[in-house]
Amino acid sequence: MVLSGRARVWLRQSLCFLLVATLFGSAPAETWTPEGYGDAFPPLWHLAPGNVEDYPVQGNKIVIAAWNYKERMGMYKIILRHSAKYFAALGDNNEDNILWGLPLQHGWQYQSGILADPLNSTSCGHENGENLCISVHSWWACANYALATIPFLGALESGLFGDLPYEVEILPPAERKDDFCHNTVECNKQAPKVMAGWRDYFKYLSSTARNSGAFSFSKDEALKYMWKAHVLSLSYALPRCQNRLNFLSGPESAFGADWGNAVDFIAATRFSTDQVTTNHFQTGLPPRKLLEGDRVPSIGDFTPTQNKVLFLLSSLRKTNEKMRGTLLVLWKMAMSTEAGRKAGRALIESLV
């Protein structure tokens, strides 16, 4: 039997949703509803630098200590401020800027303690030590570097910040500095596709400016460019950070792998990472690092939602691995139309 093009699309979508529904249908029952989303901003947001010129100048270069939480957060704050005008038509106070997902995710990482030294050989990142320090040994901090520094340098290279009096240099960590790039030249050499992805995103935004004579702004189009760059960042970072998973507990290491796997599924839906949506979604993330002995979905000091989300992320990765990546392939096929992506986003939003 030969299927028409429409029938093949329907079959692919139906199979994909059947697989996902079967997977998610095995989750524990959920009756709890979150009581609000807490502070809308990441921790210490108002204390982070808000302008490139707020960073110190050394040797005729603006230098950023990206292994300090406030200074890394400042890079996000500057990007959000300079890109606000492109999202103004969507709502007030820059809430609809789709880059909120990056600083809010970094804020959750800081608040949950997963940026601290996992080896406990230093006081870096620990509450009673250097609490603003980001450990170079943290798997989460390593992966996040490619979602902080490279977007910032991509924005810089695309002209988002205008003309600056000095070049920008990211200060290297005390150890393992070769795992990272520290300026536009290095990053274009080490991660050319990632830099190009972020440049394309910011160039798309600038092309929609009213005085450019180009086409009008489309949030869906912006999400397409942003998620492409996001996935490229992680594809570059995860192999470089892989050995740091060995520094984590078994459950935390598995959660890191689960999270890395889930990003591809989320990205395919062009999920909106605006401020309100991201804050709501993050109520399902664990409030602390996972320890030996933690058993999902029955971690006593986690909410039912947090247990459920961890359970689903684990099940999603294990199922995709058993199917040798076929589940992700089918999911991407189902997400190839706006109707499919809308259904995919609704499914994700229903989890929290």
Side-chain angles (χ1 to χ4, degrees), residues 158 195-205 225 228:
S158 73
M195 283 289 285
W198 286 108
R199 281 197 308 272
D200 288 347
Y201 169 73
F202 291 111
K203 285 180 179 178
Y204 167 74
L205 293 185
Y225 280 104
K228 179 181 178 181

Side-chain angles (χ1 to χ4, degrees), residues 152-164:
F152 183 84
L153 293 176
L156 172 67
E157 201 169 43
S158 73
L160 185 70
F161 309 142
D163 295 328
L164 296 176

Side-chain angles (χ1 to χ4, degrees), residues 79-80 83-84 86-88 90 94-104 198 201-202 204-205 217-228 230 270-278:
I79 294 174
L80 264 289
S83 60
Y86 302 111
F87 296 89
L90 300 181
N94 205 22
E95 288 182 353
D96 286 289
N97 194 317
I98 60 175
L99 287 182
W100 270 113
L102 296 178
L104 287 168
W198 286 108
Y201 169 73
F202 291 111
Y204 167 74
L205 293 185
F217 175 84
S218 162
K219 184 176 180 180
D220 184 66
E221 193 73 5
L223 284 163
K224 181 186 77 172
Y225 280 104
M226 187 277 291
W227 276 115
K228 179 181 178 181
H230 190 120
R270 299 185 191 173
F271 190 77
S272 181
T273 44
D274 57 81
Q275 189 178 29
V276 173
T277 303
T278 302

Side-chain angles (χ1 to χ4, degrees), residues 98-266:
I98 60 175
L99 287 182
W100 270 113
L102 296 178
L104 287 168
Q105 181 82 173
H106 189 47
W108 161 72
Q109 293 170 344
Y110 171 75
Q111 202 159 35
S112 62
I114 57 179
L115 300 177
D117 180 7
L119 302 174
N120 293 316
S121 59
T122 70
S123 63
C124 180
H126 292 286
E127 187 175 357
N128 296 322
E130 301 172 78
N131 65 322
L132 295 179
C133 175
I134 298 175
S135 174
V136 72
H137 299 298
S138 164
W139 178 85
W140 294 96
C142 178
N144 175 263
Y145 188 91
L147 287 168
T149 295
I150 297 183
F152 183 84
L153 293 176
L156 172 67
E157 201 169 43
S158 73
L160 185 70
F161 309 142
D163 295 328
L164 296 176
Y166 303 103
E167 295 180 5
V168 174
E169 184 80 13
I170 310 299
L171 295 177
E175 304 175 65
R176 310 185 73 160
K177 63 181 180 181
D178 291 341
D179 288 348
F180 310 99
C181 56
H182 306 97
N183 52 54
T184 55
V185 174
E186 283 187 11
C187 289
N188 276 312
K189 183 178 180 180
Q190 287 187 22
K193 291 182 179 179
V194 188
M195 283 289 285
W198 286 108
R199 281 197 308 272
D200 288 347
Y201 169 73
F202 291 111
K203 285 180 179 178
Y204 167 74
L205 293 185
S206 65
S207 75
T208 66
R210 290 182 179 178
N211 60 0
S212 71
F215 50 87
S216 60
F217 175 84
S218 162
K219 184 176 180 180
D220 184 66
E221 193 73 5
L223 284 163
K224 181 186 77 172
Y225 280 104
M226 187 277 291
W227 276 115
K228 179 181 178 181
H230 190 120
V231 169
L232 284 169
S233 284
L234 285 184
S235 296
Y236 161 77
L238 293 183
R240 289 172 173 260
C241 304
Q242 179 70 24
N243 60 0
R244 290 166 171 83
L245 287 174
N246 297 326
F247 302 151
L248 305 179
S249 69
E252 182 72 13
S253 177
F255 173 50
D258 296 342
W259 185 247
N261 171 77
V263 168
D264 286 323
F265 287 86
I266 297 170

